[in-house]
């Protein structure tokens, strides 16, 4: 069966393979080869049959969908595309997965490319439609299943193939090695030590209260984020540590539908949990990372409890707790005075129930907090979810997707948007670049750092 | 045996049997097909959270305007509930049906008046007309609609139309009566094998997604449970 050199069904398990993909600028050759990639229909049908045909949930969903269209308005992509009927969630799944089942996997290259385009550019797996369907039919869940089928067949966007390969080779979404990580921790501790005497980033300390884990983009591109986390833990007097290995929370493999790599990735974190025996884990401000490692991860790893080896918390939970218990105190004069709004990350709001924690934080730090409408569990995806941000092929579609959030933000009148999630943060940054509506956006950490009261003994000695 | 005896005798028994067995099998298969790892829901580890989530999910959606989605589409919600309430209540509480039951099994249940029955029957039919119009008028529903959707709707409405004609002696009574009985039997048999299986699978799917959202997703750390 014809497979390309770069675009194929092989998994990226070596640095050479990864490098070859990276060398192919914009995936030009990769997508050319995709046009000649054969569909392994037997494998496809066997996979569908094994999982879907015998299992109740998805099969029932496909069968009982009443074609009522109540899911239409729930999807931000439907709204952003002028209510294009082809963007109705139920239509998107019936015309892809539904057809695959109906045709018993007997489909061709063009069909698979259509499925790929639909799975990655017409759904961010935000799960909003699932909460609006009377039957609870969840297109987000089904599309992540479809992504798995596409991945297995090699019909996967170039960036996603690279992303999952990164996890396979580096156990991180970027090429951050153990040495890079340790160096960054040490470097950041040194950089900030002058301003915050006694500041350290303890690596691989056994038995700490908190094991902190991050998004690989932080050590790679925004090391200050790591420093800010360290400073806040330091001020809060936390006994914390970071693992030497297993520090990466994110999962581009989840976006890619590479379930095997998802398992490898979360197991590296779970190993760290077992090794370091911390009381709990705290994750950085990242939505999909939390979803991958805490909400879905235990199932990939085969943990029957559905729980991570030690209790795990999103950063907003830790911040809310620190403010509530007085570990962090806010200087009232420095609270945010201007109107400010908050982006609810689907991944830890609708998909983990943390809406109250972010509101609690707002009550401590903002004087004029304005909700978007709708919000909390009913929020719209910002447009950057499910890998949408990073795929060049779908840049245009992504930008259209941003418009719903743009209008929501404009309606609040706020110029500052708090986005405690990497993907949302990126999407809002791009939104400003694209539409220039004059907003600023921020993670929680830098805002908190500006407002928090630093105890005298932690201040640097006067010159 | 004349045709009336046949459709009310062996055919009725057969269709009730298919209906009951079919429905039970569908429920059993659904439950058996649940897979904690594939569905990524720890069903058995968090029974209490799961049951809470399941009940919340079913109850909210059974109440007209009980969810944000119902409130978002008020007109459709009205049609939808009218249609389904009529569909379920009328045959069960109809006096004529209960008289039949008394004759055969020696017991009946609480019944509704003829006027109420007429009202419900007409409501079902009017609602069905609106459902069809909606399918044709709205692009987002039109794109989803297949001939099968109309067929299923026709199967559900036929017993009402024929029943109404028979009860009011419009046209040939004997003909409409038999047509009514056969239509009812077709519906019973169709339930396990068509989309009409949502009659029970609604509860299964809602229960399952309720457990999903109760155990690990939006309802897990939210004290009030999932905000449907
Ligand atoms: S709301 Fe549910 S039942 Fe209705 S069309 Fe959408 S997926 Fe199907
Ligand atoms: S999961 Fe989100 S993006 Fe995907 S179809 Fe549903 S509402 Fe749209
Ligand atoms: S990018 Fe943000 S808003 Fe969009 S799906 Fe992900 S978490 Fe939700």
């Amino acid at each position: 069966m014809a497979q390309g050199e770069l675009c194929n069904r092989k998994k990226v398990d070596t640095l050479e393979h990864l490098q070859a993909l990276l060398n192919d600028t914009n995936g030009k050759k990769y997508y050319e080869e995709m046009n000649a990639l054969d569909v392994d229909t037997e494998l496809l049908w066997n996979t569908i049959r094994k999982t879907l045909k015998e299992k109740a949930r998805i099969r029932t969903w496909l069968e009982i969908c009443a074609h009522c269209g109540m899911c239409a308005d729930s999807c931000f992509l439907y709204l952003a595309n002028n209510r294009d009927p082809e963007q109705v969630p139920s239509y998107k799944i019936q015309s892809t997965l539904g057809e695959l089942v109906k045709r018993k996997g007997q489909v061709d290259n063009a069909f698979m490319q259509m499925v790929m385009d639909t799975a990655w550019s017409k759904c961010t797996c935000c799960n909003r439609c699932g909460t609006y369907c009377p039957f609870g039919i969840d297109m987000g869940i089904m599309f992540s299943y479809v992504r798995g089928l596409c991945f297995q067949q090699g019909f996967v966007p170039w960036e996603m193939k690279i992303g999952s390969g990164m996890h396979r080779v580096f156990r991180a979404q970027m090429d951050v090695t153990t040495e890079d990580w340790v160096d960054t921790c040490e470097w950041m501790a040194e950089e900030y030590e002058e301003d915050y005497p006694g500041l350290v980033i303890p690596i691989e300390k056994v038995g700490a209260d908190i094991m902190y884990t991050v998004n690989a983009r932080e050590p790679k591109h925004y090391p200050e984020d790591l420093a800010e986390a360290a400073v806040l833990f330091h001020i809060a007097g936390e006994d914390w540590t970071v693992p030497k290995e297993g520090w990466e929370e994110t999962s581009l493999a989840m976006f890619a539908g590479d379930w095997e790599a998802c398992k490898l990735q979360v197991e590296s974190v779970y190993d760290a949990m077992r090794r370091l025996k911390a009381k709990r884990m705290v994750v950085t401000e990242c939505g999909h990372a939390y979803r991958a490692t805490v909400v879905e991860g235990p199932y990939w790893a085969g943990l029957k409890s559905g729980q991570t080896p030690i209790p795990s918390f999103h950063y907003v939970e830790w911040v809310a707790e620190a403010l509530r218990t007085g570990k962090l105190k806010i200087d009232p004069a420095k609270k945010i005075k201007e109107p400010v709004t908050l982006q609810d990350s689907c991944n830890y709001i609708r998909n983990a129930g943390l809406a109250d924690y972010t509101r609690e934080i707002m009550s401590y730090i903002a004087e004029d907090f304005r909700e978007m409408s709708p919000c909390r569990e009913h929020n719209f995806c910002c447009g950057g979810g499910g890998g949408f941000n990073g795929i060049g092929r779908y840049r245009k579609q992504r930008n259209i997707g941003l418009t719903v959030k743009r209008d929501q933000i404009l309606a609040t009148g706020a110029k500052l948007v708090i986005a405690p999630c990497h993907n949302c943060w990126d999407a809002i940054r791009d939104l400003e670049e694209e539409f220039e509506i004059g907003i600023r956006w921020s993670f929680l950490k830098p805002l908190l750092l500006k407002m928090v009261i630093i105890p005298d003994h932690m201040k640097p000695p006067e010159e | 045996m004349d045709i009336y005896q046949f459709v009310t005798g062996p055919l009725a028994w057969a269709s009730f049997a298919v209906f009951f067995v079919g429905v039970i099998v569908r429920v059993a298969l659904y439950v058996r097909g649940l897979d904690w790892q594939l569905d990524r829901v720890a069903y058995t580890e968090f029974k209490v959270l799961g049951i809470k989530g399941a009940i919340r999910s079913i109850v909210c959606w059974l109440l007209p305007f009980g969810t944000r989605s119902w409130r978002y589409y008020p007109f459709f919600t009205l049609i939808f509930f009218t249609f389904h309430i009529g569909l379920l209540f009328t045959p069960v509480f109809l006096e004529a049906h209960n008289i039949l039951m008394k004759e055969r099994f020696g017991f009946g249940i609480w019944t509704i008046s003829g006027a109420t029955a007429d009202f419900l029957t007409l409501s079902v039919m009017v609602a069905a007309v609106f459902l069809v119009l909606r399918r044709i008028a709205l692009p987002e529903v039109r794109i989803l609609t297949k001939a099968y959707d109309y067929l299923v709707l026709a199967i559900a409405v036929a017993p009402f139309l024929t029943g109404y004609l028979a009860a009011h002696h419009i046209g040939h009574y004997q003909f409409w009566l038999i047509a009514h009985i056969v239509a009812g039997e077709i519906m019973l048999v169709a339930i396990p094998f068509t989309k009409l299986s949502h009659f029970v699978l609604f509860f299964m799917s809602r229960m399952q997604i309720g457990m999903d959202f109760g155990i690990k997703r939006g309802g897990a750390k939210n004290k009030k449970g999932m905000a449907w």
Side-chain angles (χ1 to χ4, degrees), chain A residues 7-26:
Chain A
C7 186
N8 48 42
R9 284 187 288 280
K10 288 196 247 350
K11 283 147 191 159
V12 185
D13 281 321
T14 64
L15 195 52
E16 294 74 54
H17 191 171
L18 192 57
Q19 201 54 53
L21 280 164
L22 285 166
N23 290 344
D24 178 26
T25 319
N26 296 327

Side-chain angles (χ1 to χ4, degrees), chain A residues 20-78:
Chain A
L21 280 164
L22 285 166
N23 290 344
D24 178 26
T25 319
N26 296 327
K28 197 161 167 287
K29 182 166 173 223
Y30 180 88
Y31 286 120
E32 261 163 35
E33 287 180 2
M34 188 180 282
N35 292 328
L37 181 62
D38 276 340
V39 185
D40 185 341
T41 51
E42 199 178 323
L43 176 68
L44 183 60
W45 180 237
N46 278 339
T47 311
I48 294 176
R49 223 185 26 208
K50 240 194 259 125
T51 46
L52 193 147
K53 288 294 276 180
E54 289 159 18
K55 298 303 170 194
R57 185 164 71 161
I58 294 182
R59 196 185 51 185
T60 306
W61 282 348
L62 286 175
E63 194 182 341
I64 64 176
C65 169
H67 298 158
C68 68
M70 276 178 80
C71 50
D73 284 273
S74 69
C75 180
F76 78 103
L77 284 166
Y78 169 77

Side-chain angles (χ1 to χ4, degrees), chain A residues 51 54-57 60-61 63-70 72-73 78 85-86 88 90-91 127 131-136 138 141 144 290 295-296 299-300 302-307 312-313 317 349-354 356 374 376-378, chain B residues 26 29-30 33-42 44-46 61 68-70 72-73 76 134-135 139-141 143-146 149 193-195 197-198 201-202 205-206 208-209 212-213 215-218 220-224 226-228:
Chain A
T51 46
E54 289 159 18
K55 298 303 170 194
R57 185 164 71 161
T60 306
W61 282 348
E63 194 182 341
I64 64 176
C65 169
H67 298 158
C68 68
M70 276 178 80
D73 284 273
Y78 169 77
E86 294 198 357
V88 174
S90 170
Y91 178 79
N127 301 83
T131 62
Y132 282 69
C133 166
F135 294 113
D138 197 329
I141 287 179
S144 66
Y290 180 84
V295 180
E296 315 282 10
Y299 299 95
W300 296 327
L303 301 177
K304 202 147 197 249
S305 63
Q307 302 291 304
S312 299
F313 298 86
E317 293 180 272
I349 304 283
R350 181 160 41 254
N351 284 299
L354 302 184
D356 286 337
R376 301 176 60 105
E377 286 83 2
H378 296 283
Chain B
R26 300 270 347 209
L29 282 179
Y30 189 91
L34 293 177
D35 179 321
W36 70 272
Q37 195 165 6
L38 200 75
D39 301 344
R40 303 201 293 276
V41 187
T44 46
E45 291 283 322
F46 292 93
W61 283 89
R68 192 177 256 252
S69 198
W70 288 139
Y72 189 88
Y73 296 102
F76 177 59
R134 182 175 175 274
R135 284 207 179 280
E140 72 269 29
V141 193
I143 195 172
L144 297 171
T145 302
K146 302 189 173 93
D149 294 304
F193 298 108
T194 64
K195 247 185 227 306
S197 57
H198 76 243
L201 293 179
F202 162 83
S205 179
R206 274 247 69 85
Q208 192 278 331
I209 200 84
D212 193 348
F213 274 91
I215 290 171
K216 68 161 197 189
R217 294 211 263 162
K221 283 190 178 174
N222 179 349
K223 283 165 220 89
K224 296 183 289 293
M226 182 60 193
W228 290 111

